[in-house]
Amino acid sequence: MNKLPSYDVLKQLSQQAKTRHLASLFNENPDRFSGFHAKLPGLVLDYSKQNITKEEREALLNLAEEAKLSEWIEKLFKGEKVNHTEGRAAGHTALRDLQNPKPEVSKEWEKMEHLVDRIHTKQLRGFSGKAITDVVNIGVGGSDLGPLMVTHALKGVRSPLAPELHFVSTLDGKQLQRLLKTLSAETTLFIIASKSFTTIDTLSLAKTAREWIESHSPSKAGTLQHFIGVSTNTEMMNDWGLLPDHQLLFWDWVGGRFSLWSTIGLSIALQQGIEGFKSFLQGANEMDLHFRNTPFKDNTAVLLGLISVWNINFLDLAGQAILPYDSRLKYLASYLEQLVMESNGKHVNRAGENVNYRTCPILWGEVGPNAQHAFYQLMHQGTERVMADFILYAQAHGNTERHTFHHNLNIANCLAQSRALMIGQKGDDPHKDYPGGQVSNTLLFEKLDAKHLGMLIALYEHSVFVQSVIWDINPFDQWGVELGKKIALEILQKIEAKDASDLDSSTQGILQTIWDTQNEN
Amino acid sequence: MKINVFGNSVSAMVCAGCLAETGNHITLVGKRPNEIAEPGLVELLDSQLAAGRLTISDNFNPQAECHIMALGPEDCKNAKRIATDLAAAALKDSTLIVRSNFNIGLAKEIAQTAQLEFAVNPDFTADGHAIQRFTRPDRIIIGTNSEKVRQQIRQIFAPFNRNQDVIINMTPASAELTKYGTNAMLATRISLMNELASISEVIDADIEEVRLGLGADKRIGRAYLYPGTGFGGDHFTRDLERIKSMLPQAHQKGGHSLLQAVIDINENQKELFFRKLWQHFDCNLKGKTVAIWGLGYKPHTTSIESSASVALIKAFIHQGCNLQLHDPFALDTAKKWVHKHFSNVQQQQVSFHTEMYDASKQADALCVLTEYKAFWSPDLTLLKENMQTPIILDGRNLYNKYWIEDNHFSYYGVGR
């Protein structure tokens, strides 16, 4: 990035930007909104509360051209192996191309529709012949966060035929054990969602679930009615014993954190019906077309990405808060933590050289009205300068007087916070002084439904991709998570052998204390 | 007395015919169907029309002293229209009697629209015995706050209330709840018996023996203690749903409503034989042929509404079974229903048989769901020859299970 001609221009411009107060931009240009927002049907991105001028924006757009962003977008969409460290394409946009679907994708849609139909018509049966009423998604990372976030957000608009959905992910097993106490084995179905079908987190939970079903089911055939597998690995699903009708496929060109668009989205389809799932894909597809075909200056995803680059690399901001003003988006921040930080948390460029500039910010977040009573203090008066994304919906989710009241209250709070962070307030008492100058985007969507949620997620995916192109890093691998998995297996062996030698003294000390505690009890 | 009776139902015609027979001048405001299955009703109507005491008309008699509503239970819209017409043209001191099984509270609303004093007089007659139950009732419930209406109904029903005074007076709301409560009580007994039947299977008891033991207790009595594959018919199910909707909000969802439990047990019971065969064939029914005798929710009806056969046909078709169906009355209804609810491919899985043993050919199991007399003593030798796998599932516990088993059939009953 820092070899591109516009980099130096931006560095130069940032000197002056760092000294000005955000609020001054509004004083200079009272109609700032009109020049600093972008939109497509269903979404307005207001970035007028960013510390950026037209000139600086121009230089950023030049930076994008110099980084060959257009070419990279085409490579992404055309299925080139943009994930070069794993020799794979990143085909998430193909998963939602409803007009020109790949044949293998259509085939799995059909299979998924058939399963959804069997469950919705109460014709998928457990060992006793009773219909399935509860579905537990066992998965971790991309096989958990996406479906969990989406199904939580869309619970209010679920199909009346939808089964009860549950999610378990943590390998300590407590989440699963607690859930099983509330369920009936006869009527519970498990989705084992694992890209590789080797993930120990998921497979260990699946085994516990299987043993639970086996303790009730009179036969193996009965037990197998209760499991559906979603994976790229047919062989492992067969080895596990999954029935052919109960296996859904996706492909190695689908990254885990992008897999909610694939058959990993089965739980979304179960909740929304196949039509609802398709409108989720449709929303993302509309964002794809916008991203691919809109000039950068009007392109919401490109602008969102470039603004991050401006903030991180030129204004030296290191934190990004995600602040949805809608409690239905409770899990959005967790979801984006994975999408953003697993993608761009890299320190070498595509050629494998160390980069000498900062890449991914630390992202965190919470439902806005709750966060107001928590970490907003830091944003208003702390020493950290951060950037924030406010997410707001124009339509209330009901039409009674109380709905309208709460909705207006919510809008007022969202707008008040972004304004207060921007403008600040001088106070004679230093404890009541608000420096302001904290930058933010506001993403205003028409309403929260499957389609607009698809659009929101695709927007962030593309924004992440834009940043990766500027930084010249591969956003589609995640080698960083491998080392811990490998060491965990080594330590597990040590624990089973009750032998902590050869380990560092910290690990030895902790293990020894654990063993002493266990022996005492 | 001059009386208008509104409705096209059997209830309306029986009421009109019987009241004409006792000397009243009745205008039946409705259409007489071309075919009437109710025994004796055609003769009754013909004789009263001939005697000139019964008129069938599209318009009501504005000189009538009393108006009886006997519309179908879903016909609320029509009832409101009639009420408006009555308000405009009926005698101001005439009265309104609601015999229709409307939503609770609707009778009062209609009377207010009609601006007439009213009573709720629930119809407890059962199809097949309607005239007998009308003329020899075991109770006549008069639900009214008006002394005038009470006396008038007493007079109208006097010919049917001679042997013993069976009139019970109460408020209109109590009368409505008595009607709904009757069906709720009977349904509850059945679901309780079905629940005991499932326990019976676990502990190796025979629910038929238990039933006899329970029925001998005078406090319990013998009626409606038969376990089975669930009750059906539109009346029972609709009444339960309606009465449940009157419960406080908190009881309607979740496990706090007895009536919801009654409904759930009943729905669950309808698939009992699917579960038995599913387990018998270790969760794989693909390609199995299942014969069903008895599709109607009770004998001698063409209705398959909410009956176990409907739930079973759906379940078996979805598992890829072939179905061979027989019913002496309801075969055509079943054909239409299958045609309407299944794809062409699925329809190929179903065949219809007017002869009961035809339906058993090459079958892997025979489900007997309705207690037609013809099913009580089947030719087991012929069945054995016909069937591929000798399994009999007895949904009404009609058979001596030892007799079936001695003939080398596998036997599944309900709770035994």
Side-chain angles (χ1 to χ4, degrees), chain A residues 123 125-129 219 222, chain B residues 271 275 278-279 282 315 318-319:
Chain A
Q123 298 300 342
R125 310 284 179 161
F127 60 81
S128 73
S219 71
Chain B
E271 287 193 341
R275 293 195 294 274
W278 176 255
Q279 288 171 36
D282 199 14
H318 277 101
Q319 294 300 333

Side-chain angles (χ1 to χ4, degrees), chain A residues 70-88:
Chain A
S70 303
E71 283 175 34
W72 278 102
I73 293 174
E74 284 312 299
K75 284 184 192 174
L76 173 73
F77 277 87
K78 286 183 174 156
E80 287 187 27
K81 293 186 174 170
V82 289
N83 178 3
H84 70 293
T85 59
E86 295 181 300
R88 292 170 182 167

Side-chain angles (χ1 to χ4, degrees), chain A residues 160-180:
Chain A
L161 304 172
E164 292 299 324
L165 292 176
H166 314 270
F167 289 84
V168 294
S169 60
T170 52
L171 52 74
D172 66 2
K174 293 192 184 70
Q175 209 183 4
L176 177 60
Q177 293 295 0
R178 186 179 287 185
L179 176 63
L180 295 185

Side-chain angles (χ1 to χ4, degrees), chain B residues 83-98:
Chain B
T84 313
D85 294 349
L86 287 174
L91 294 177
K92 291 296 165 210
D93 60 349
S94 62
T95 60
L96 178 66
I97 300 175
V98 179

Side-chain angles (χ1 to χ4, degrees), chain A residues 68-349:
Chain A
K68 299 196 167 55
L69 178 58
S70 303
E71 283 175 34
W72 278 102
I73 293 174
E74 284 312 299
K75 284 184 192 174
L76 173 73
F77 277 87
K78 286 183 174 156
E80 287 187 27
K81 293 186 174 170
V82 289
N83 178 3
H84 70 293
T85 59
E86 295 181 300
R88 292 170 182 167
H92 45 289
T93 57
L95 292 171
R96 49 217 191 194
D97 189 350
L98 295 165
Q99 284 73 41
N100 306 295
K102 286 170 175 269
E104 64 264 44
V105 173
S106 294
K107 194 178 151 206
E108 293 305 308
W109 279 343
E110 270 172 40
K111 207 167 170 188
M112 184 156 87
E113 182 169 4
H114 185 58
L115 271 172
V116 169
D117 188 53
R118 282 171 72 194
I119 294 174
H120 280 193
T121 55
K122 301 264 180 285
Q123 298 300 342
L124 192 80
R125 310 284 179 161
F127 60 81
S128 73
K130 281 195 182 162
I132 294 302
T133 57
D134 287 78
V135 176
V136 182
N137 189 83
I138 301 179
V140 70
S143 304
D144 172 64
L145 289 166
L148 172 66
M149 186 271 283
V150 172
T151 53
H152 184 83
L154 301 179
K155 208 178 247 177
V157 286
R158 67 206 284 252
S159 155
L161 304 172
E164 292 299 324
L165 292 176
H166 314 270
F167 289 84
V168 294
S169 60
T170 52
L171 52 74
D172 66 2
K174 293 192 184 70
Q175 209 183 4
L176 177 60
Q177 293 295 0
R178 186 179 287 185
L179 176 63
L180 295 185
K181 282 184 190 150
T182 69
L183 296 174
S184 160
E186 276 181 293
T187 55
T188 300
L189 176 79
F190 296 90
I191 301 172
I192 311 171
S194 170
K195 184 173 172 185
S196 61
F197 224 76
T198 56
T199 315
I200 188 159
D201 311 54
T202 306
L203 290 186
S204 64
L205 292 169
K207 187 154 188 259
T208 303
R210 184 172 182 153
E211 283 176 10
W212 181 64
I213 294 289
E214 277 169 347
S215 70
H216 294 88
S217 165
S219 71
K220 188 180 172 199
T223 299
L224 293 176
Q225 307 302 318
H226 293 263
F227 295 91
I228 287 179
V230 187
S231 178
T232 59
N233 193 337
T234 309
E235 203 183 327
M236 290 298 284
M237 288 199 281
N238 285 335
D239 285 353
W240 202 90
L242 288 164
L243 302 170
D245 279 356
H246 285 211
Q247 297 184 15
L248 291 176
L249 275 181
F250 64 111
W251 307 272
D252 66 0
W253 46 265
V254 179
R257 53 192 173 276
F258 302 94
S259 61
L260 78 172
W261 312 107
S262 73
T263 46
I264 286 288
L266 174 62
S267 49
I268 302 171
L270 283 172
Q271 185 195 51
Q272 296 296 311
I274 205 76
E275 287 309 311
F277 183 65
K278 294 265 174 91
S279 43
F280 178 61
L281 300 184
Q282 173 72 30
N285 182 239
E286 285 176 20
M287 180 53 75
D288 291 343
L289 296 174
H290 168 81
F291 177 51
R292 193 177 184 181
N293 301 326
T294 310
F296 291 170
K297 67 179 180 48
D298 301 316
N299 192 315
T300 53
V302 170
L303 288 168
L304 198 62
L306 291 179
I307 287 164
S308 278
V309 170
W310 171 245
N311 286 333
I312 293 161
N313 299 106
F314 300 99
L315 301 184
D316 304 329
L317 307 184
Q320 180 173 12
I322 300 294
L323 306 168
Y325 273 71
D326 195 308
S327 56
R328 293 173 290 178
L329 292 179
K330 178 173 154 66
Y331 295 111
L332 179 67
S334 316
Y335 172 77
L336 290 181
E337 280 166 13
Q338 187 201 23
L339 176 65
V340 176
M341 297 199 282
E342 199 170 60
S343 295
N344 282 344
K346 311 285 163 65
H347 73 292
V348 294
N349 65 14

Side-chain angles (χ1 to χ4, degrees), chain A residues 359-398:
Chain A
T359 59
C360 188
I362 294 171
L363 179 143
W364 87 108
E366 175 59 91
V367 170
N370 285 343
Q372 287 177 196
H373 299 273
F375 57 75
Y376 275 39
Q377 168 63 35
L378 174 143
M379 294 164 69
H380 284 296
Q381 292 187 314
T383 53
E384 290 298 320
R385 304 277 82 196
V386 298
M387 50 191 159
D389 286 351
F390 288 89
I391 296 164
L392 192 60
Y393 289 88
Q395 282 184 18
H397 66 285

